[in-house]
Each structure stands twice: as structure tokens, then as C-alpha cells.
Amino acid sequence: MEMEQTILNLLVLTNLLSNIRLLNTSRIPVMILTVGIQGFVIGLLPLVLHWERVHSTLLLIALIMIVIKGVILPRLLNRSMQQAGVIREVEPFVGPTASLLIGLFLLALSYWITFPLRSSLPEGFFFVPVLALFTVFNGLFLIVSRKKAITQVIGYLTMENGVYAFGASLAVDHPFLVELGVLLDVWVGVFIMGIAIYHINTEFDHIDTDKLSTLKH
Amino acid sequence: MAWIVVVLPLLLGLFSLPQRNNRLLLLVLRIGGIAHFLVTLLFWLLPSEGSPLVFLDPLGILILTVTSFLFLMVSFYTKGYLKTHTERISLAIGCLFFFLAAMSLVCISADMGLLWVAVEATTLASAPLIYFHKDHRSLEATWKYLLICSVGIALALMGNIFLSYAGGSSIESLYIPDLLANADRFDPRWLKVAFILLLVGYGTKMGLAPLHSWLPDAHSEAPSLVSALLSGSLLNCAFLGILRGFGILRQAGLEGWGGNILILFGLVSLSMAALFLIRQTDFKRMLAYSSVEHMGILVLGAGVGGIAGTGAMLHLVNHSFAKGLLFLVAGNILTIYQTKQLDSIQDLVHQAPRSAFLWMVGFLAITGSPPFGLFFSEWIILKGLIDSGQWVSLVVYLAALFIVFASLARYVIQMTFPRGSSSIGAPHGEKQERSFSKEPLWMWGPPLVLSGITLILGLYVPPTLLSFLTMAFTG
């Protein structure tokens, strides 16, 4: 029990640190690495949380998720990045330091939102939903505050990681469809977005989405 | 049995992808549209059956029928619209079929998880359609569409997760009849969170303000026949997701709480759409904002409940057909004038009299003028608002409807009739003018059928249909 708790705390902490790293770096390779690590850690979550009840299906799904989130997606992103030739998020809408401050605020917000629901959560569980919510908020924030298409995809993946952490911590009784859904979402979503990035790249020699502003109200 | 409506278009889509013969593809599209509609009609006659994943309940059948019929009309329109297109259209036709398959799956899903997968699939199937013209603007629209709807769909997934957590051990899966039967044992706190997430998630896809920002771009950049499907069918499918969540809430005794949130979203959408409509420069964006307005009316009606709920269901049908009609005619106008700018279009009545007539009919229908169906359904919702004493909502509702009417009237009249003696905006060259002066059947046939249905629904709604609509709303 204690061992399990320690590992859980370690995972939660790694997730927290990876979120912070995502917020205050502007180097895209670092972001890709970080989101990969985060995916790996979050993939481990269901196994650690429900280690007494791990059955073959859960194990299989968890392993697939670890491979996809931790290995395949970062590789795809790396390839897109090299094709597009961008390695830096230059002049985001919100700079690294300000992002970090907003991140702290989002963390507090997640804590505040999750707190009233505390009593209906299993014991020793509380920080997982807080961190999951923080990861979702963090992803949303990255999407709206960064300009490059690839950084927005990274933000989207971060958000997906958060959603998966929720699924892993809450919905373990009905894992199948939920996790199948995440699978499809991540897979196809990123696949298509990769193609879109490719087109944005080849047509306009840049992947700044803020330059895509011909369409106004 | 129910799976046919999904499998059939899926197979036809797979068949279409490698085809190189455009005429064959257009023929397959029409045959597929007819077959799909016939199968859908069969569902009305045969008793419904349940399986762990799919079922046919009144709400699903209603939206499926609307979708299928609109697709049928669009498939005939497409025949003419893409006939002269010399590039490969196999991807577009394939995606149209996949889009139909995904939307059908949304309608027949008996499981919130499957419903979610289906809604996600509609995004993926329609993204290449929005990117049809492969230019700068359509790329921007596609990127916005993908990113914003993916975020929305991720939130809806979180809603599903919370829903299953709220159910705890009382449910085994997200099978909708199970959820409804056990809803009173759900933890209300988690259920509320789940509903808000579902509403925001599917609401993004439905184009509820302030989550609508993808909608005007996607609708204006997509080819008009795709816009017709996006507006007339896809938005309904997203609404279905919200209604499923609302149904569970109702069974749990939280109808009042959920209804107020829906009313709020409805009023915000209505007023924002009305404000944006005051100044428009692009007639397809104008139609897109009108969709935001009507989606607002739908959730408003659903939130008020009772007779307004029935009105919302009727409004859904009416809006789909009227908006389908308008987008198809918008396609004609675009073909004739080669521009979407409102300023440079005038004298439609002489350039293309039939399109001009249908454009006027569509305008009258969509703004809820008698004797069209939307007048009747908007009137039912109005009555529901009065009955439940929602006076503030009533004022906002009427004001928004008035502003929309006035704005649209200005644009539509400006486009339809000649403006003084100036010659700006006349189609380039005499030759083009002559070639369109006799409008081919595809241009006015499908829109005419759609306008006929809206008209009939305004003159007479059979009582059986009304009770069916009530059943669709209350489940």
C-alpha cells in the first residue's frame, strides 16, 4: 500500500513538473519530449491506481496507450517539426514567465474546483483528479496562447493526456469504450492534424496559425 | 438491421475512393442517397429493436430521416454542381459517404460511448470536404474546424467519463436505456459536471455561442452542398448528443437546473448571432450566423421544455430543410456571380429568376414568416415561453428574431433586385449571362422540393407527427 502510494505520488509529481516545463519553454523539441514523458507517466496511472484489480484487458490497453502516447506520437510530431523546419515558438501570445504564472493560477483553480467533490472520491486519490484537471486546463491554455500549429497540436495532446488521466482514475469500472475512444481520438486527430500542418507548411512556408487570419467576422 | 444505414454508406464510400470516373461517382452518390433514404423510411414501418450498441428511438429516427432526406437532395444537386468539375472528385464523394455513415451512427447509437465515437467520426469525415477548394482560406477554415471541434469532443469525452463515475456501480456500461432507468441513483454532483461537459463539448460542434467560432468559416469556405449538410444535418447530430445528456438529467430530477443552463446558452447564441448578422459582407457567412441563431432557438426550446420542447423538434426539421434550401441556392448564386461578397451581387431576379424566387422563399422561411413551417415552430416555442412565464427570455427571443429578420431582409432584397442604374456586380461577360439564364433542373429542383416541405409543414402538421415529436423530445 505504501509502495503504491509512493509510486503514485512520483507519477503525479512528474506530471506536475512536465506541465510546468511545457509552460515555460519555447523550444519545440523540448515540448515534444516533455509531452512524450507526460504521456508515458499518465499511461502508467491506471496500472498503479488499480494494481489489485489489473486484468489482462486493462493491462493491454494501458500498454498500448503507453506506446502511443510515449513513443509513436512524439515521433510523429518530431517528423512534422523537421518537415516544417520550426524549432522555436517565437513570440507566443503569452510569454514563458507569464505562462508560468497563469499555470500556477490554473493549478489553484483545478484544486478549487475538485475540492468540493473530494468526499465522493476514494481515499488517497484526490491529487490525481486535481492534476488531471490541471493538465486539461494547461492544454487548453497552450492551444490559445501559442501561434504555431505544431505547438497547438502539442497543447491538444496535453489536454488529451489530462482527459485520459481522468478516465484512468475515475472510470475504471467501464474502461473499454472510454479508452477505445481516447485511442481513436488521439490517433486519428493527430494524424489528420499532421496532414493539415503539412499542407499549411507546403503552401505558405510557415505554420503560424495567426497569419491565417484572412477570415474575420 | 439498424446497422444498414451505417454500413451501406461506409461501403459505398470505400468503393468510391479509388474510382476515377467522375460520372460513375456522381451516379453512385445518387443511388446511395436513394437507398439510404429508402432504408430510413423502412425504420418508420418496422418495430424498433434494441441491441447493446444501437437502437431506434423516436429522436434518433427523426434526426436520421432529416439527415437522410437532405443528403438525398444534396446528392441530386451535386450531380449538376460537380458535373463540369474535371479534377478527381473521388475523395470528396467518398468523404460525403463517410460523413453520412458517421451521422447515421450518431442517430442510432444506443451507447454514449459509441455516440461520442460517431460524433468524432463526423469531424474527421467532413474536414476534407471543407478543404475541398484547397486554397488558403479553406485551409484556415479546416484547421480551425479540426482544432476547435477536437477540443470540444475531448471535453465531451470527459463528460462521458464523469457520467460513468456518477453512475458508479449502478450501471454496467453507458447504454442509454440503462442510464435512463438508473438515473435517479446517480450522484447528482458528478452528473451535473458531466452534463456541463457534454453541453460544452457537443455545443462546440453544434455551434452554440460563444463556442461557434469555427462555424462561419467552415460554412462559408466549404462547397455549398457541404455547407447544406453541415448546417442541416451535422448540427442536429450534435444537438442529439446534448439531448441524450439532458434526458438523463431529466430522469434524475434535475430538469429545471439543466433547463436553465440550456436557456442561457440559447439566449446567448440568439443574441450573439443577431448582433453579428447586423453587419455581414459575405452571404454564406450570413447563412452560417443564421444557423447559430437557429441552434440557439433549438436549445432554448429544449430548455423551456413542455410544448416548447415539441416546438424545438419541429423547428429542427424546419430549419434543416429551409437552411438546406438556402445553401443550395447560395451555391447557384456563387456559380453565377463567382463571388460571396454581398456588395457585388444584385439583380438576381433577372440573372436567374428561379434561383431568385427560391432565395426569396428561403429568406421568408428562415426568418419565420407565415405560412412557412418555421413560423409555426417558432410560434409554439413562443407559446411555451409564455406558458412557463419566462418573460426575460421572451423579450430577448422576440428582439433577436426581429433583428435577424430586418438584417436578412436588407441583404436579400439588395441581392435580388436591381440597384439603380449602376452596372457593378453584373456577371462578367454577356456569354456567361446567357448560359445561366436557363437554369438547369439540378439548380432549382432539389431546393424547390425542400421549400415545398417547409411550406407544407407550415400549413398543416398532422397530429400524429406532433405526438411523435413530443415523444422524440420526452423519450
Side-chain angles (χ1 to χ4, degrees), chain A residues 136-201:
Chain A
V136 171
F137 281 147
N138 197 9
L140 280 173
F141 174 69
L142 286 176
I143 293 173
V144 297
S145 66
R146 303 298 192 257
K147 283 179 189 170
K148 302 274 185 217
I150 194 162
T151 343
Q152 293 183 337
V153 173
I154 293 173
Y156 177 67
L157 272 182
T158 311
M159 188 186 160
E160 281 291 340
N161 281 343
V163 174
Y164 183 74
F166 262 115
S169 54
L170 297 179
V172 78
D173 293 330
H174 328 284
F176 199 69
L177 268 168
V178 171
E179 281 161 22
L180 205 71
V182 182
L183 216 76
L184 175 102
D185 199 29
V186 169
W187 250 126
V188 195
V190 171
F191 181 62
I192 298 270
M193 282 182 186
I195 294 172
I197 292 175
Y198 176 69
H199 278 291
I200 296 178
N201 179 34

Side-chain angles (χ1 to χ4, degrees), chain B residues 224-238:
Chain B
S224 296
L225 58 108
V226 176
S227 317
L229 284 177
L230 284 176
S231 191
S233 308
L234 178 66
L235 303 186
N236 293 343
C237 290

Side-chain angles (χ1 to χ4, degrees), chain B residues 321-390:
Chain B
F321 291 151
K323 196 48 75 56
L325 148 73
L326 278 168
F327 269 119
L328 294 187
V329 180
N332 297 348
I333 300 176
L334 196 57
T335 316
I336 295 167
Y337 288 84
Q338 299 293 328
T339 177
K340 282 180 284 194
Q341 294 299 312
L342 278 165
D343 291 341
S344 28
I345 295 169
Q346 59 150 340
D347 201 19
L348 186 64
V349 71
H350 288 110
Q351 304 297 342
R354 287 173 180 147
S355 296
F357 171 72
L358 288 166
W359 188 241
M360 285 306 279
V361 167
F363 152 69
L364 289 173
I366 206 73
T367 48
S369 324
F372 293 98
L374 284 99
F375 171 74
F376 186 45
S377 50
E378 282 175 2
W379 185 78
I380 299 180
I381 294 172
L382 182 73
K383 188 163 182 310
L385 280 167
I386 295 172
D387 286 353
S388 58
Q390 305 265 7

Side-chain angles (χ1 to χ4, degrees), chain B residues 62-387:
Chain B
L62 179 73
I63 295 181
L64 181 67
T65 313
V66 172
T67 303
S68 184
F69 188 71
L70 197 61
F71 189 87
L72 179 66
M73 289 298 117
V74 165
S75 70
F76 276 88
Y77 183 82
T78 311
K79 181 208 161 210
Y81 195 78
L82 291 182
K83 197 166 61 183
T84 50
H85 208 81
T86 45
E87 287 159 46
R88 285 189 69 177
I89 54 169
S90 54
L91 180 66
I93 303 292
C95 283
L96 274 174
F97 275 125
F98 294 145
F99 191 32
L100 179 65
M103 288 193 293
S104 307
L105 186 60
V106 173
C107 298
I108 63 169
S109 289
D111 185 290
M112 291 299 276
L114 186 65
L115 177 84
W116 180 85
V117 171
V119 174
E120 169 75 10
T122 59
T123 311
L124 299 173
S126 50
L129 293 172
I130 297 174
Y131 189 48
F132 182 78
H133 291 304
K134 299 198 172 49
D135 56 13
H136 195 148
R137 296 167 63 92
S138 61
L139 179 64
E140 179 187 344
T142 313
W143 175 255
K144 268 191 192 173
Y145 176 62
L146 270 177
L147 196 70
I148 296 175
C149 288
S150 299
V151 169
I153 213 74
L155 293 175
L157 178 66
M158 244 164 88
N160 277 343
I161 293 170
F162 278 96
L163 192 63
S164 82
Y165 190 71
S169 54
S170 65
I171 50 168
E172 283 180 354
S173 64
L174 292 174
Y175 184 49
I176 291 166
D178 260 8
L179 293 175
L180 292 174
N182 295 310
D184 50 340
R185 282 187 284 156
F186 279 32
D187 184 334
R189 285 173 302 177
W190 290 99
L191 184 58
K192 283 181 182 175
V193 180
F195 177 70
I196 291 182
L197 286 167
L198 287 175
L199 177 63
V200 172
Y202 292 135
T204 308
K205 188 95 191 186
M206 189 184 169
L208 295 177
L211 312 160
H212 67 284
S213 52
W214 64 271
L215 194 142
D217 294 349
H219 282 59
S220 71
E221 293 312 315
S224 296
L225 58 108
V226 176
S227 317
L229 284 177
L230 284 176
S231 191
S233 308
L234 178 66
L235 303 186
N236 293 343
C237 290
F239 185 44
L240 180 76
I242 295 175
L243 282 179
R244 296 284 191 220
F246 189 56
I248 298 165
L249 217 56
R250 185 190 296 129
Q251 294 298 319
L254 293 169
E255 190 179 4
W257 177 85
N260 283 336
I261 294 183
L262 287 182
I263 291 173
L264 183 71
F265 262 90
L267 293 179
V268 171
S269 303
L270 260 169
S271 24
M272 274 187 78
L275 290 179
F276 275 111
L277 272 171
I278 294 175
R279 268 199 82 77
Q280 282 299 318
T281 52
D282 171 332
F283 65 86
K284 283 184 79 183
R285 289 182 86 82
M286 169 187 96
L287 295 181
Y289 277 108
S290 155
S291 292
V292 174
E293 175 222 343
H294 285 280
M295 291 304 117
I297 296 179
L298 289 188
V299 288
L300 175 69
V304 173
I307 184 174
T310 312
M313 293 298 112
L314 185 61
H315 196 71
L316 180 150
V317 179
N318 284 322
H319 167 255
S320 293
F321 291 151
K323 196 48 75 56
L325 148 73
L326 278 168
F327 269 119
L328 294 187
V329 180
N332 297 348
I333 300 176
L334 196 57
T335 316
I336 295 167
Y337 288 84
Q338 299 293 328
T339 177
K340 282 180 284 194
Q341 294 299 312
L342 278 165
D343 291 341
S344 28
I345 295 169
Q346 59 150 340
D347 201 19
L348 186 64
V349 71
H350 288 110
Q351 304 297 342
R354 287 173 180 147
S355 296
F357 171 72
L358 288 166
W359 188 241
M360 285 306 279
V361 167
F363 152 69
L364 289 173
I366 206 73
T367 48
S369 324
F372 293 98
L374 284 99
F375 171 74
F376 186 45
S377 50
E378 282 175 2
W379 185 78
I380 299 180
I381 294 172
L382 182 73
K383 188 163 182 310
L385 280 167
I386 295 172
D387 286 353

